[in-house]
Amino acid sequence: MARKVLTGIPVSSGIAIGKAFFMNRRLYGSIPRQSIASHLVAGEQDRLRQALAQAARELEAAREQVPAELREHALLIDSHVTIMRDPKLCESACGFIERMRINAEWALLKAVKELEDKFAAIEDEYIRQRIQDVRLVADRVQSKLMGLARELRDIEGRIILMAHDLSPADTVGLEVDKIMAFTTAEGGKTSHTGILARSLQIPSLVGVQELEDEIRDGQFVIIDALKGRILVEPGEDEILEYSLLQNQFELYQKAIIRNCHLPAETIDGYRVQVMANIELFEEVAAVQDHGGEGVGLYRTEYSYMNRMALPDEDELTAEYTSLASILAPAKVVYRTLDLGADKVVSQFGAIDERNPALGLRSIRFCLQHKELFKAQIRAILRASVAGNVAMMYPMISGLRELREANKVLNIAKHELRSEGVPFNEEIPVGIMVELPSAVMTAELLAKEADFFSIGTNDLIQYSLGIDRTNKNVSYLYQPLHPAILRSIKHVVDAAHQSGIEVSLCGEVAADPFCVPILMGMQIDSLSMNPQAIPGIKRIIRQTTMAECKDLLRRVLECRTVNRINKLVMDTIFQRFPEELTFYSSLIESEDLI
């Protein structure tokens, strides 16, 4: 039995078994404080300057090696080089060396602490969080000062890479053939580490608590990036069990990838489109490699974040045109800006709200910043000549917001016509249905929208009144709650009665326990993370519309969520035992298995 089991967030699925190699640890607890004689001050200051300069040169060299498809990471490297070359950080640390007669390591720690205090007083959340970049820079320089710098070229054999966090320079310099898996103490699903791991298809866990306290270099570990676990010093029986599972998973992956470009069509001929949710241009390769039939949700807000200046219309047009061109004739659906207090852009200052989920966000934010909104719409319209482009507004609560958004759209169209700029006059414009008010007025909205896209993540949150990131109530996040199923069915029926199509782009779309029920409702398309596409397509191809409708009928007869979950679990486990070995479902519950 493993000595310890740690948990983290799986960002790229798979299993890896091997030895841990730490590229960096948080050094703050081990930095030495030493007093120095006055005649050693100049030498200590010079040692610090050399460490900063050497670290900057290494990053600049790493930047030159960044392939074109990872240019976003190159921009992040530039920001770290700028911090290293900023004379203020060096002058501050050198000042501590001189005044306090302390070693360079401790002086740098003092200088960073001083900056942390200043950043903590900044109201703008985005700017405040940039202190993490300063810490990453300081860690790199401290490693050099302490003689602890480890590079991936130091690696012998294949290892499981562990780190407090991986900087952009770290990630672009990875020798992939040496790395079986990534794990980091920091990070989330949308961190650059997570995105890179998914694009490289390497098993990966981020946000692993106790990672640096519980694991040492060379220790044997099992990374279970299917369930989000690390087994530290596993027993022989666990190694055997996971070796078999790893082999099964690799065979399964090869089998589903081999057929992922086949259409998602049931045995009795019902065709559904399976598309991808992405936020970066770099993910296009993953869409195509996994059989995605287009992009059903392009999260445009990421082009506005992690930068000091807003993108202008030309820049956005170039980005949207490139994406549409490379995917044509496949469809790309651009979701207009979904910003708010939870995803801030520094140019608009901090949005101080007690409850951001119910505040100024998404379409509400755009309608209060119409010039920003119009610039984005103009860019999408200009890109519409390059491919099969559609756009949709997030978080529409009723007809008034839809009509206000369309007014901005019509102004943008009028301007482009006047300027002689070509665009697709018939570009489809849809809405995201993610509020109960939109569900209840779906019949009205369907008459003025070209399509619906159901965002189940928010729809569940708002319908059931729960925050799924709140550990006290997250157990109430129930995709198969009778209210949710009836809401989705109501939206699908209302759309079809008006002759428009319905997509579903929340996490439910990638859940094999939910997909047969959605098929039974005759959903038109599903959109999910690219890696989930092959498995979902395979399930669809193995089922029939008749059995999906029968399952839906039986589910709708159930009165409680527990009864529905048990019915679905029993049915799906019996029907698709092989696929479900590798899935962690949204409805998984220990008391039901």
Side-chain angles (χ1 to χ4, degrees):
M1 186 174 178
R3 179 180 65 78
K4 185 89 175 181
V5 177
L6 308 179
T7 59
I9 304 167
V11 292
S12 181
S13 59
I15 291 170
I17 304 171
K19 290 184 178 179
F21 177 98
F22 262 94
M23 188 164 175
N24 64 54
R25 292 177 186 271
R26 178 155 253 183
L27 295 173
Y28 290 133
S30 58
I31 294 172
R33 172 172 179 157
Q34 296 170 354
S35 298
I36 60 172
S38 57
H39 71 279
L40 297 177
V41 165
E44 202 65 8
Q45 290 173 330
D46 188 51
R47 193 165 71 88
L48 174 64
R49 292 189 189 98
Q50 287 187 21
L52 280 163
Q54 185 184 354
R57 286 196 299 273
E58 288 177 359
L59 286 190
E60 287 167 340
R63 182 186 56 200
E64 298 304 315
Q65 303 300 317
V66 177
E69 63 270 24
L70 296 177
R71 64 182 187 279
E72 291 287 336
H73 297 275
L75 294 174
L76 292 168
I77 292 174
D78 284 340
S79 69
H80 284 207
V81 172
T82 300
I83 294 170
M84 288 175 180
R85 298 251 184 235
D86 185 350
K88 292 179 182 174
L89 178 63
C90 185
E91 288 170 4
S92 175
C94 286
F96 282 118
I97 293 173
E98 185 168 3
R99 292 194 303 275
M100 299 179 69
R101 301 285 194 271
I102 54 176
N103 56 322
E105 291 89 340
W106 197 256
L108 180 58
L109 183 69
K110 292 277 294 177
V112 172
K113 180 67 174 62
E114 193 173 67
L115 278 174
E116 285 177 337
D117 293 341
K118 291 178 179 176
F119 271 72
I122 297 173
E123 289 189 2
D124 186 303
E125 183 181 352
Y126 173 76
I127 299 294
R128 194 168 61 244
Q129 289 179 354
R130 294 309 93 201
I131 190 60
Q132 182 60 22
D133 291 321
V134 179
R135 292 187 185 122
L136 283 170
V137 165
D139 279 348
R140 195 176 187 92
V141 178
Q142 289 284 15
S143 295
K144 296 204 168 299
L145 288 169
M146 296 167 68
L148 299 175
R150 305 183 77 182
E151 302 296 341
L152 285 173
R153 59 175 174 269
D154 299 334
I155 297 175
E156 294 182 0
R158 284 168 58 77
I159 50 88
I160 292 173
L161 183 64
M162 300 194 165
H164 176 75
D165 198 3
L166 289 173
S167 71
D170 294 331
T171 52
V172 298
L174 294 178
E175 295 184 48
V176 177
D177 58 342
K178 290 184 175 180
I179 298 166
M180 291 185 280
F182 290 143
T183 58
T184 60
E186 298 283 340
K189 285 195 172 184
T190 57
S191 65
H192 63 265
T193 305
I195 292 167
L196 186 75
R198 283 197 293 276
S199 65
L200 297 176
Q201 298 180 48
I202 294 175
S204 179
L205 295 178
V206 299
V208 181
Q209 295 184 356
E210 302 182 276
L211 181 73
E212 295 159 285
D213 298 329
E214 293 292 341
I215 300 178
R216 296 288 172 265
D217 273 332
Q219 275 187 320
F220 210 70
V221 296
I222 295 175
I223 305 298
D224 178 356
L226 301 173
K227 302 289 186 183
R229 303 192 302 174
I230 300 177
L231 283 68
V232 184
E233 296 181 343
E236 290 187 8
D237 55 337
E238 290 167 318
I239 294 174
L240 178 60
E241 175 191 347
Y242 271 93
S243 295
L244 291 172
L245 187 61
Q246 182 184 34
N247 188 46
Q248 290 173 0
F249 183 70
E250 289 174 357
L251 290 174
Y252 170 76
Q253 284 290 95
K254 288 178 182 174
I256 63 173
I257 290 291
R258 194 180 306 127
N259 295 316
C260 72
H261 290 89
L262 294 175
E265 184 174 306
T266 62
I267 294 169
D268 49 356
Y270 185 83
R271 180 82 161 82
V272 62
Q273 269 198 313
V274 181
M275 307 173 78
N277 300 338
I278 63 172
E279 50 251 352
L280 297 173
F281 182 84
E282 287 74 11
E283 294 177 276
V284 168
V287 177
Q288 296 173 324
D289 291 346
H290 291 84
E293 299 170 275
V295 171
L297 169 62
Y298 186 68
R299 300 184 178 99
T300 60
E301 55 273 14
Y302 285 87
S303 300
Y304 292 72
M305 301 167 71
N306 295 321
R307 53 188 296 161
M308 299 306 295
L310 291 172
D312 61 26
E313 181 185 318
D314 289 342
E315 187 179 344
L316 292 173
T317 301
E319 175 190 334
Y320 301 159
T321 301
S322 296
L323 185 63
S325 300
I326 199 168
L327 283 168
K331 182 192 289 186
V332 182
V333 182
Y334 295 95
R335 181 180 70 185
T336 57
L337 273 173
D338 186 13
L339 291 172
D342 56 339
K343 287 183 277 188
V344 298
V345 173
S346 57
Q347 289 76 9
F348 293 92
I351 302 174
D352 184 17
E353 293 180 331
R354 186 168 295 178
N355 192 341
L358 302 178
L360 185 64
R361 52 170 296 200
S362 301
I363 195 65
R364 304 168 185 178
F365 179 89
C366 287
L367 292 175
Q368 286 211 7
H369 298 89
K370 287 183 179 171
E371 285 303 312
L372 173 85
F373 188 36
K374 190 178 71 176
Q376 185 187 30
I377 288 177
R378 281 174 57 102
I380 295 173
L381 289 171
R382 289 169 64 186
S384 66
V385 295
N388 189 4
V389 168
M391 76 167 83
M392 61 184 177
Y393 309 129
M395 206 176 173
I396 290 290
S397 63
L399 278 176
R400 178 181 170 183
E401 281 176 339
L402 173 57
R403 289 170 177 172
E404 282 190 41
N406 277 337
K407 281 183 186 175
V408 180
L409 170 68
N410 290 331
I411 292 171
K413 283 184 173 181
H414 176 73
E415 288 179 353
L416 291 175
R417 281 189 213 103
S418 302
E419 297 163 14
V421 177
F423 66 92
N424 176 13
E425 290 275 4
E426 304 301 322
I427 182 173
V429 179
I431 66 165
M432 288 197 68
V433 178
E434 45 197 341
L435 295 174
S437 62
V439 172
M440 297 306 294
T441 56
E443 293 88 348
L444 306 176
L445 291 165
K447 297 184 188 311
E448 300 189 27
D450 293 325
F451 64 92
F452 284 162
S453 183
I454 303 174
T456 48
N457 299 351
D458 277 344
L459 180 61
I460 295 170
Q461 169 170 281
Y462 291 124
S463 296
L464 302 183
I466 58 105
D467 176 359
R468 64 177 174 152
T469 65
N470 181 334
K471 63 181 181 181
N472 296 317
V473 296
S474 60
Y475 71 97
L476 292 169
Y477 187 86
Q478 295 285 357
L480 295 184
H481 190 290
I484 302 302
L485 293 177
R486 282 163 171 72
S487 294
I488 295 173
K489 187 172 187 309
H490 177 76
V491 172
V492 174
D493 291 345
H496 287 172
Q497 284 167 13
S498 290
I500 66 172
E501 293 191 347
V502 188
S503 176
L504 190 141
C505 62
E507 289 186 27
V508 167
D511 192 316
F513 290 86
C514 301
V515 166
I517 298 171
L518 299 172
M519 295 287 291
M521 296 180 187
Q522 296 186 287
I523 201 91
D524 298 292
S525 63
L526 299 167
S527 193
M528 62 200 72
N529 74 76
Q531 288 71 25
I533 290 173
I536 293 300
K537 270 188 160 183
R538 176 160 147 146
I539 285 177
I540 292 170
R541 289 177 56 79
Q542 292 182 78
T543 191
T544 67
M545 199 57 180
E547 65 180 328
C548 290
K549 286 184 175 179
D550 180 62
L551 176 61
L552 173 64
R553 178 187 59 75
R554 288 187 289 144
V555 161
L556 291 177
E557 289 174 354
C558 297
R559 297 183 178 184
T560 67
V561 67
N562 281 347
R563 182 71 191 96
I564 295 173
N565 281 348
K566 185 164 192 329
L567 169 63
V568 173
M569 295 282 280
D570 289 346
T571 305
I572 303 299
F573 263 121
Q574 186 177 19
R575 192 64 181 76
F576 306 102
E578 183 183 6
E579 277 75 9
L580 300 182
T581 303
F582 308 114
Y583 283 101
S584 57
S585 170
L586 295 174
I587 66 166
E588 188 170 343
S589 173
E590 290 184 359
D591 59 353
L592 291 171
I593 296 173

